[in-house]
Structure formats: structure tokens, C-alpha cells
Amino acid sequence: MEFSIAALADTDVPAVVDLCREALDLPEDAAEADQIMARLRERPGVGFTATADGELAGVVLGSLSHRDDSIGHIDLIAVRPAARRQGVGRALLARAEGALAGRGAVEVLLAGNPPTYAWPGIDVRYTPAVCAAIAHGYEQDRTAWNMTADLTGLRPTEPAEERLAASGVTVRRAEAADVPALVEFARANFSDGWAGEVSDSVGRSGAGCHLALRDGEVLGFAAYGSSRPSWFGPMGTAPAAQGLGIGGVLLRRCLRDQRDTGLDTAQIGWVGPVPFYASAVGARIERVFFLYRKQL
């Protein structure tokens, strides 16, 4: 197959979304193709398309790490099924690596780049992508996983909220005026990436955040929809406030919001405390991701 590669232009985006609906093999990814593209395009980065016989054959998006601009990320690579195994993916990946190197990157990760990402890494069920990563010189670095929460049988939060209120803890939806305090709390206790995700969840369509306060001090937060509408996270509670039941209340309040949009399930992304989510809402590990890196 003969194909050409060009820089991604704004006018290409509708066609790229259509391509992703076809090229993202998992239905839950294809269904959110437009939201994924819109989110990833918010971050300045690099993007290229491949065209064959006048038809879009593939796309790649990349960005520099929010933590270290010597590290590049491949945020999305998708090739139309009919164009696979013909060098399109390899060529797009090489072009993105070169562009990221030109911006100072000395290594590239096939891994999510918080606060703007669509996946932690390559879902293990995307076998062609795993094979392409290995063939292109990437080495597996880490493994991450998501948990799936069933939203149809969520326990009510009101009894727990009443207990928290009796101890001086208020739980409510976050508003724009709360963002500075939430960002400060996330940075102090967790990471800049989480701070960005929390900030981006407030006021965004299909997203939201709930927080817990005592005497005006943030004790914890839970957010959803920052990366994708069907994804929950991040969530964090101050070490001194753990054990009060704040996390479970914040989690269920967010999942209830997602249920009210019409979702039956939500993805708890890039999970750390598996036992907590399994106990709090009966979540189960479902999606597993390989994360890769390559020295340029």
C-alpha cells in the first residue's frame, strides 16, 4: 500500500473521529472517540495522519510529559483495519517519535500522560498494538489496570453523610470557587497530574467532582469525567482523615452522577487500592494495560 503522512490539521478532526470509531476495536473506546479526540487535542502536542487512495488510513497523537519535557508520550495511535500490516502504524509512530525528539524528548512512553489521557497504556486486548510496540523497539515498563463498577445497585450515601456531618464533615459537589483549594490539596498530598485532573473535572460537560470539608479545610475529593465521560478518578483523602468513610461516600456520589447520565457501568481508571473499590462498590478488575518505553 502506498500512503502519505501529513501533519494533523483541525479540518482533519471529524474524519479522524470517524476513523477511530472504526479502528478502536473495543466498543467502549469507539463509543467515546469524539470525546477522546477532543480531550487529547486540548494539550499542545504533535499529530500526524496517513492517507492512502484518498482515504484516511491512520492517525497518531503525541505530547511531552507534564512532569518532564525530556519525556514524550504517544497518546493515540489508530490504523483502519483494512490498512493494517502494511507499515502505516510503524511510519506514523516513527514520525511522532521524530517530532517529539525535535521538541527535546530523549525517550518516548506508550503510556498515559496525565492530566490529559485516554488510556493508562495499551489494553492487552489490542494485540496488534502490543506487537507493533515490541517490533518498534519498545520495552514493557509497567502494568496498570482499570476496575469496572456496576452503577445499577449503588448504595445510598445519605446515612453515611449524616454520620460525617455529626463529626463536622460536610460533603458536597465542588464548584468553580473550590478549584484553587482542591488543586493545592491534590498537589500537597498526591501529584500535579491529579491536580490537573481535578481542576479539569469542575465545570466540564460530562464531568464533576465532590469534596469533603471540615472547618473549611479540604479533607478529600473524588472526580470523574476528566479524561473520559465513563471514567471515574482520581480520588484522594488526606492521611489524617482516612478511616472516616469519606472515600466511600465521595466515590458513590460521583458514580451516582455518572449513572444519572445514562451509564450502566463506569471505569475506575488506573486503579491503586483494588480492595477498597471492590469492597465499596463491588468493582472488579477488567481492563489491563501494558505501559512501554523507548530510548530515542
Side-chain angles (χ1 to χ4, degrees):
M1 171 186 287
E2 293 187 1
F3 57 88
S4 60
I5 295 179
L8 175 67
D10 290 342
T11 53
D12 296 325
V13 171
V16 168
V17 170
D18 287 341
L19 178 144
C20 287
R21 290 192 179 111
E22 179 181 352
L24 296 176
D25 298 332
L26 298 178
E28 57 265 45
D29 291 339
E32 293 185 338
D34 52 347
Q35 294 97 331
I36 288 170
M37 272 299 297
R39 187 73 174 111
L40 294 179
R41 290 277 288 168
E42 290 177 13
R43 183 201 297 274
V46 302
F48 298 95
T49 58
T51 302
D53 297 326
E55 182 180 43
L56 200 63
V59 63
V60 65
L61 298 178
S63 60
L64 294 178
S65 170
H66 76 283
R67 299 186 309 271
D68 182 348
D69 59 11
S70 71
I71 299 174
H73 287 256
I74 301 299
D75 300 313
L76 166 71
I77 184 164
V79 177
R80 196 179 300 278
R84 292 174 184 168
R85 292 182 169 273
Q86 302 191 58
V88 174
R90 291 192 298 275
L92 285 168
L93 194 55
R95 182 65 67 89
E97 290 173 356
L100 291 169
R103 297 190 178 199
V106 297
E107 69 174 342
V108 173
L109 308 184
L110 293 176
N113 187 11
T116 307
Y117 69 97
W119 303 271
I122 300 176
D123 189 303
V124 297
R125 291 171 292 178
Y126 282 118
T127 303
V130 170
C131 294
I134 295 170
H136 210 70
Y138 284 83
E139 296 183 354
Q140 188 177 339
D141 180 35
R142 291 172 288 154
T143 301
W145 46 84
N146 285 7
M147 298 182 77
T148 300
D150 184 345
L151 306 184
T152 60
L154 295 173
R155 290 185 289 117
T157 60
E158 287 76 13
E161 290 183 40
E162 290 175 5
R163 290 194 297 271
L164 288 172
S167 63
V169 178
T170 300
V171 180
R172 62 171 173 81
R173 186 182 305 277
E175 301 174 350
D178 298 312
V179 169
L182 284 167
V183 167
E184 181 181 355
F185 176 82
R187 283 178 173 158
N189 292 280
F190 302 103
S191 69
D192 286 347
W194 277 24
E197 289 185 70
V198 172
S199 175
D200 289 345
S201 70
V202 178
R204 176 186 293 276
S205 176
C209 178
H210 294 259
L211 77 165
L213 302 139
R214 182 160 56 197
D215 297 328
E217 179 184 0
V218 177
L219 298 181
F221 69 87
Y224 66 92
S226 173
S227 56
R228 295 170 55 172
S230 63
W231 285 37
F232 167 86
M235 182 181 80
T237 303
Q242 292 176 3
L244 300 178
I246 290 172
V249 170
L250 294 173
L251 167 64
R252 295 199 302 276
R253 284 176 66 104
C254 287
L255 295 181
R256 187 170 62 201
D257 283 356
Q258 292 179 284
R259 181 194 63 194
D260 291 346
T261 68
L263 293 173
D264 293 325
T265 63
Q267 287 285 300
I268 303 172
W270 220 324
V271 171
V274 170
F276 165 76
Y277 290 110
S279 174
V281 291
R284 64 188 185 277
I285 297 173
E286 189 170 70
R287 298 194 68 171
V288 178
F289 304 87
F290 291 157
L291 284 63
Y292 293 88
R293 68 173 59 235
K294 175 183 178 179
Q295 299 293 320
L296 296 180

